[in-house]
Amino acid sequence: MDVKIDSLIPFDTLRTDLEHVFTVVEKNGKVVLLKDNKPAYIVLKYDAENMDAVNISDKHSNYTLQEAMKIVLSEVENKTMHASELADEIYKRRLYLQKNGKKAQYTQIRARCGHYPELFEALPGNYIKLKDGVE
């Protein structure tokens, strides 16, 4: 997370100058409140367009990336998809989200394929195939 230096505000400022805190939030989109010179809280400005990443339901993000890949690939024809399409579908269904709430990139999908050769096969053109017999 990128934070501007003027977005670092002592926690006590909430009591003494609340208006200043919200002015900085308006200007920078966020404020990091410091306690004992260490980040303690983050105050974010609500952004409806980018709130998908924040609205994470526990029931949808309980899968590891390789589990999410297996679920999606097992439901498609030939158990094969392009890595970027696979990433998009996993994100669309909220099967796996990165810790920051964003979707896994196709490069992460491709790398995971290499870490689990017993489950996935990397085909030319960045296609990922669920190996036969994997359920």
Side-chain angles (χ1 to χ4, degrees), residues 60-71:
H60 293 296
S61 58
N62 285 336
Y63 296 107
T64 63
L65 182 54
Q66 64 272 12
E67 289 170 337
M69 291 167 61
K70 281 175 44 178
I71 290 168

Side-chain angles (χ1 to χ4, degrees), residues 38-80:
K38 295 179 185 169
Y41 301 96
I42 298 174
V43 179
L44 298 172
K45 182 177 179 184
Y46 180 76
D47 182 357
E49 291 180 14
N50 294 319
M51 289 311 286
D52 285 347
V54 176
N55 296 327
I56 301 170
S57 171
D58 288 341
K59 68 179 184 169
H60 293 296
S61 58
N62 285 336
Y63 296 107
T64 63
L65 182 54
Q66 64 272 12
E67 289 170 337
M69 291 167 61
K70 281 175 44 178
I71 290 168
V72 173
L73 289 172
S74 69
E75 297 172 359
V76 297
E77 187 178 344
N78 297 327
K79 298 183 180 183
T80 305

Side-chain angles (χ1 to χ4, degrees), residues 18-37:
L18 184 61
E19 188 173 326
H20 172 69
V21 174
F22 285 104
T23 300
V24 175
V25 171
E26 279 296 319
K27 177 183 168 194
N28 297 334
K30 63 182 148 285
V31 163
V32 177
L33 298 172
L34 305 172
K35 272 191 171 181
D36 299 322
N37 287 328

Side-chain angles (χ1 to χ4, degrees), residues 110 113-114 117 120-129 131:
R110 179 62 180 83
C113 178
F120 308 105
E121 183 179 350
L123 302 174
N126 254 350
Y127 283 88
I128 308 297
K129 178 180 173 81
K131 285 197 170 180

